[in-house]
Amino acid sequence: MSTRGTSQKSHDEQSLQIAGRHSGMWGWFSGIIVLALIAVPLSAAFAFATNPGTQQLFGGRLSEATQGGYQAFWWVVTLLLVALPILVGYGVAKMSGRALIIVGAVVALFVIAIMILGQLFVF
């Protein structure tokens, strides 16, 4: 009976381990989940970037912005949304403190860039 319990315990420990050769698969999986979660905002940002007529939908100061600035803003947002699943997948696959700090810093810089560009064109 003790032999069976020992083999069962080692089997459980191996099945719960996510690091090692399967870490890349966890990265892909988390990237796909993030991509599914941001699909609608990504589609909307791409539509705003490619159709200059949508600028009139945002009454106020954004409608007064130059057409080039409006499109540049939405292209930057689109590219940042495309990069987000890649960054999340990379961060999960590496699972090291240094990699997670780098990914967090890059995401923080993206958010700051979007805030600055939003302030320039909206307010």
Side-chain angles (χ1 to χ4, degrees), residues 84 87-88 90-91 96-112:
L84 187 62
L87 291 173
V88 168
Y90 178 77
S96 69
R98 181 176 180 210
L100 291 177
I101 289 172
I102 291 170
V103 169
V106 170
V107 169
L109 288 175
F110 285 161
V111 169
I112 290 169

Side-chain angles (χ1 to χ4, degrees), residues 60-86:
R61 296 200 57 187
L62 190 59
S63 65
E64 297 170 3
T66 64
Q67 185 175 358
Y70 175 80
Q71 287 181 334
F73 171 75
W74 285 111
W75 275 115
V76 168
V77 171
T78 301
L79 293 174
L80 296 177
L81 286 172
V82 166
L84 187 62
I86 297 167

